[in-house]
Amino acid sequence: MDFSVFSACSVPIVMGDSQFCSQKAAIYSLNFTANPPQRVFKLVNRINPSIFCIHITNYKPALSFINPEVPDENNFDKLMKKSDGFALSSESEISFATQSDIPATAKYKNSLCFSTSKDAAECLSHASGDTEWIGWYGARLQTSDSFLRFPSPLMSSLCTDDNPAAFLVNQAVKCTRRINLEQCEEIEALGMAYYSSPKILRVPGLRTKAEIPITVQSVLIQSLNKTLTRLEDSLVLNQTLVEAGDVKICTNVVLEVKYSLTYTEAGEIAQAGLALLLGTVSGPVVPLEQKFEIHFIQQNTKPVPLSGNPGYVVGLPLAAGFQPQKGSGIIQTTNRFGQLTILRSTAEQDCLAVEGIRTPVLFGYDMQSGCKLRLPKAITCQLAVQKVKSLLKGQGFPDYVAPFGNSQAQDVLDWVPVHFITQASHMKDSCQLPVALVIEVKWTKYGSLLNPQAKIVNVTASLLSSSFPETNSGNERTVLISTAVAFVDASAPAEAGFRAQPTIDARLPFDFFFPFV
């Protein structure tokens, strides 16, 4: 056939149903550069971009990230043949390994470096030679054979055992398992050894370093009637299928798992503890619900006590602090009983004798204290004002009070500012002497009616002043100084109410009845 007489193919493409995501298509074209001109036929895969398609991936290496091979003197030539060359990066992005058994993940690497170092290159260093290794937030915890598994629910409430535990990520989850009671002894996730046998790597990837075993710290046994018994020893118990007449039960099944991991300032895992709750499973309770928790604690640090979680507890001190500059967090003293204080009354009632000795403001406790200040005749009013203010306010009177007992210092916008008000007497005097400090704390009940939480909503500190006193028969002036704290419940009373009936607000498009109207 003479194709030179044709300008193009009348049917350029032939394919089947256009509703398929991907299919074979036959493409016909003419090649006029050839002598004589020829018809070109191609069979290609065509993808329909207008259809949302879900493809199934059955290539297993593509289902997870594979750790790249680190170049060393043994595999350098092999990697050079696979690669097209080198791509040099900045100095801060280069990390060298001196041991051939270090994989690419030689540190718990993630988007946030766990370090107080200001140098980015220092954050990228790891334990090789004398270089300090630094942990990274969110990296998975590696074990001697794989990683520490932390079962969690993903797309449904069912437990997924391949979920890794992440460094510095505290978690508490619940999930269920559909188990066959006849096969309870064969399910690894129901046994105590599944959670106590892994050995966590102190430094990820360095198997020559010490491996941290998981120490079983507590084992509780829960019976069918929910009574708890603590085991004296920490022997590993295996789940056992027991037949009691016509009823089959599985004993020593793991119901709760609590990991407690201790890490160093450099980010290395130092200790690993485990607490377990074992129980008995019978036919009626299948599927089985399990609880898993993991917490990280820094070594050589003490937990900060709270005044409530979240609401304040009556009798505990108020959390308070000050903001040194705009944009910074709240600064608090380490002594939580010294963050917001008032004068302490004594039997002598001498202000100078108790100077510096103060009592904390406790939530829910209305307080009042006072003392007598004897001023020499020669002292001026301005000096007396400074002395009395220091006695009333103390050192470092706070600017902010925490709304809840567990409020974080970095959440500055949530903290309640202290409104400081100065009230002078009606007498016109050139010098007004402060004589009283009154602190009013307004709080409200927050949350559910069944378990309301105390939340502070307003704090006002009023400094009351009066005229400078005259000298008495002697050569000194006596001033009575007092402080008071009052807690006011500002919550609205709970009233039973009914929801209003829903109203129908249906609107039709303007052309709904077209072309009839």
Side-chain angles (χ1 to χ4, degrees):
M1 180 180 293
D2 187 6
F3 293 102
S4 62
V5 299
F6 300 97
S7 61
C9 296
S10 59
V11 182
I13 182 172
V14 177
M15 58 189 302
D17 191 352
S18 61
Q19 298 300 317
F20 285 110
C21 290
S22 176
Q23 60 177 315
K24 297 289 185 181
I27 299 178
Y28 297 92
S29 62
L30 294 177
N31 184 8
F32 293 103
T33 59
N35 190 15
Q38 298 177 354
R39 183 182 68 179
V40 180
F41 169 75
K42 292 182 180 179
L43 189 64
V44 297
N45 284 325
R46 294 295 296 265
I47 298 176
N48 191 351
S50 62
I51 299 178
F52 176 73
C53 303
I54 299 177
H55 298 273
I56 297 177
T57 302
N58 54 8
Y59 180 56
K60 290 185 178 180
L63 298 178
S64 61
F65 294 103
I66 301 177
N67 295 330
E69 195 172 359
V70 177
D72 56 22
E73 58 184 1
N74 298 323
N75 60 5
F76 183 81
D77 295 333
K78 181 181 68 173
L79 295 178
M80 272 294 296
K81 294 178 181 179
K82 295 181 180 179
S83 174
D84 294 333
F86 286 105
L88 296 178
S89 33
S90 61
E91 184 178 358
S92 62
E93 296 176 351
I94 301 175
S95 179
F96 296 96
T98 59
Q99 300 182 18
S100 60
D101 59 346
I102 303 178
T105 57
K107 49 180 173 281
Y108 290 133
K109 185 165 61 174
N110 202 294
S111 59
L112 179 62
C113 178
F114 174 73
S115 175
T116 57
S117 172
K118 298 180 181 179
D119 190 359
E122 186 177 344
C123 278
L124 291 173
S125 61
H126 59 272
S128 58
D130 296 331
T131 306
E132 181 183 10
W133 174 87
I134 298 175
W136 291 67
Y137 176 88
R140 67 180 185 181
L141 295 177
Q142 297 183 10
T143 59
S144 57
D145 57 348
S146 180
F147 56 85
L148 182 63
R149 287 171 168 79
F150 185 78
S152 302
L154 293 183
M155 301 302 295
S156 65
S157 62
L158 297 179
C159 296
T160 302
D161 294 327
D162 291 334
N163 181 62
F167 182 60
L168 294 184
V169 179
N170 298 328
Q171 301 182 68
V173 299
K174 296 180 182 179
C175 58
T176 58
R177 296 185 187 274
R178 296 174 181 173
I179 62 174
N180 184 358
L181 203 61
E182 299 284 346
Q183 302 175 353
C184 77
E185 296 180 349
E186 303 174 6
I187 303 176
E188 294 183 349
L190 302 181
M192 181 176 169
Y194 183 78
Y195 307 98
S196 61
S197 60
K199 294 183 179 180
I200 304 175
L201 299 184
R202 179 187 297 271
V203 177
L206 300 181
R207 290 174 174 80
T208 57
K209 296 284 184 177
E211 297 176 348
I212 306 300
I214 297 178
T215 304
V216 179
Q217 299 175 339
S218 172
V219 178
L220 295 177
I221 302 294
Q222 178 178 285
S223 62
L224 288 175
N225 59 359
K226 306 301 181 180
T227 59
L228 298 178
T229 304
R230 185 187 181 96
L231 296 183
E232 297 297 333
D233 50 16
S234 301
L235 297 178
V236 176
L237 303 178
N238 298 323
Q239 66 272 33
T240 306
L241 184 63
V242 179
E243 295 186 8
D246 297 334
V247 180
K248 293 183 179 180
I249 59 175
C250 191
T251 60
N252 301 330
V253 174
V254 174
L255 301 180
E256 293 186 14
V257 177
K258 294 182 181 180
Y259 287 109
S260 177
L261 302 182
T262 305
Y263 62 95
T264 63
E265 186 177 358
E268 299 180 355
I269 302 298
Q271 294 178 354
L274 176 64
L276 294 167
L277 174 63
L278 307 181
T280 302
V281 178
S282 59
V285 297
V286 177
L288 174 67
E289 182 183 74
Q290 291 179 308
K291 298 179 182 179
F292 301 93
E293 294 184 17
I294 183 169
H295 297 280
F296 292 85
I297 303 173
Q298 186 173 346
Q299 197 176 44
N300 299 326
T301 57
K302 296 181 180 180
V304 179
L306 302 175
S307 296
N309 188 22
Y312 277 99
V313 177
V314 176
L316 294 183
L318 266 63
F322 62 93
Q323 189 179 19
Q325 59 184 1
K326 189 175 182 180
S328 66
I330 300 296
I331 305 300
Q332 299 174 266
T333 62
T334 56
N335 179 19
R336 66 181 186 132
F337 289 93
Q339 297 179 4
L340 180 58
T341 60
I342 61 174
L343 283 173
R344 177 182 293 182
S345 298
T346 60
E348 293 80 8
Q349 294 292 311
D350 187 358
C351 292
L352 297 179
V354 297
E355 185 177 5
I357 304 176
R358 304 178 67 84
T359 184
V361 176
L362 305 179
F363 181 81
Y365 286 4
D366 293 343
M367 308 170 67
Q368 187 170 2
S369 62
C371 60
K372 292 181 180 180
L373 179 63
R374 295 176 176 86
L375 301 175
K377 182 179 180 180
I379 192 171
T380 62
C381 181
Q382 287 73 17
L383 292 178
V385 169
Q386 297 178 4
K387 185 64 177 179
V388 174
K389 280 187 177 180
S390 64
L391 288 173
L392 291 175
K393 298 173 63 176
Q395 294 183 352
F397 192 83
D399 300 328
Y400 291 89
V401 172
F404 292 106
N406 64 346
S407 297
Q408 300 296 319
Q410 61 268 21
D411 301 332
V412 182
L413 297 179
D414 296 337
W415 286 57
V416 179
V418 178
H419 302 285
F420 204 88
I421 302 174
T422 301
Q423 298 179 2
S425 64
H426 298 291
M427 298 181 62
K428 294 182 179 180
D429 197 340
S430 59
C431 182
Q432 297 282 331
L433 183 67
V435 293
L437 178 64
V438 179
I439 301 175
E440 183 185 64
V441 181
K442 292 184 179 180
W443 64 281
T444 183
K445 299 181 180 69
Y446 181 85
S448 172
L449 292 175
L450 299 178
N451 186 23
Q453 302 295 312
K455 176 184 179 181
I456 294 178
V457 294
N458 189 5
V459 179
T460 303
S462 301
L463 189 64
L464 308 181
S465 302
S466 66
S467 59
F468 194 60
E470 299 291 337
T471 57
N472 53 18
S473 58
N475 294 325
E476 61 181 16
R477 296 181 176 93
T478 303
V479 180
L480 297 178
I481 297 177
S482 63
T483 56
V485 179
F487 286 86
V488 180
D489 186 359
S491 57
E495 297 179 356
F498 301 94
R499 292 185 178 180
Q501 292 292 334
T503 59
I504 300 176
D505 187 11
R507 297 180 182 179
L508 298 176
F510 69 94
D511 58 348
F512 182 78
F513 294 102
F514 180 82
F516 305 103
V517 177

